[in-house]
Amino acid sequence: MAAEKERDPGSSSAEIGKYLDILAKDPNSRVFAPLAEAYRKGGYLDDAVETALEGLRLHPNYLGGRVALGRAYFEKKQYAEAAAEMQKVAKSAPDNIIAHRVLGQVAGRLNDLPAAEKAFKMVLLLDPRDQEAQQFIAAQTASAPPPPTSLPGPVSLPP
């Protein structure tokens, strides 16, 4: 597991080191999720994916691990894998804003605008102040065709 890797103090952040120490003492710990997130934030995307996958083998229902894995997949541009993880999270925890945000981002990258709009509307339902979701919805609204200016004339019904 990633905890077994040698740490290079010059390249590892203190946060990664702290989580590696915890995981080394307790390999069954759920600290794999914040470790995977720390790897992702540090740009160690392969380590993030590996750590999350290994942790999920022990804790397959741990949503925090699935979120970490999905975010790492997203940053690696493995959009199908990212979406699959985030759909699992959203199904189990419909109020998980990160899952919906990443689903919107994935759909946006894949140019699936209806799916992106649906995901970002859910983000706004959960957090009306979310700026990314607001910007996406505003852009969609601005590019939508205008509604018809007049209605068709009356329709005659047979007697």
Side-chain angles (χ1 to χ4, degrees), residues 8 39 55-56 61 69 71 74 79 83 85 92 143 147 151 153 157 159:
D8 176 2
Y39 277 138
L56 286 167
N61 298 319
L69 179 58
R71 289 172 71 150
F74 178 79
Y79 298 131
E85 289 304 320
S92 295
S143 66
L151 297 174
L157 296 176

Side-chain angles (χ1 to χ4, degrees), residues 35-98:
L35 174 59
E37 277 292 299
Y39 277 138
R40 180 187 65 79
K41 289 175 185 174
Y44 304 106
L45 301 179
D46 290 335
D47 288 331
V49 168
E50 177 188 340
T51 299
L53 286 171
E54 289 182 22
L56 286 167
R57 282 189 206 108
L58 295 173
H59 304 285
N61 298 319
Y62 184 47
L63 296 181
R66 297 224 170 264
V67 167
L69 179 58
R71 289 172 71 150
Y73 277 144
F74 178 79
E75 289 199 17
K76 287 187 71 164
K77 297 179 176 39
Q78 292 180 256
Y79 298 131
E81 293 86 348
E85 289 304 320
M86 293 308 186
Q87 286 166 350
K88 290 175 190 174
V89 173
K91 183 176 180 183
S92 295
D95 62 343
N96 189 301
I97 193 167
I98 294 171

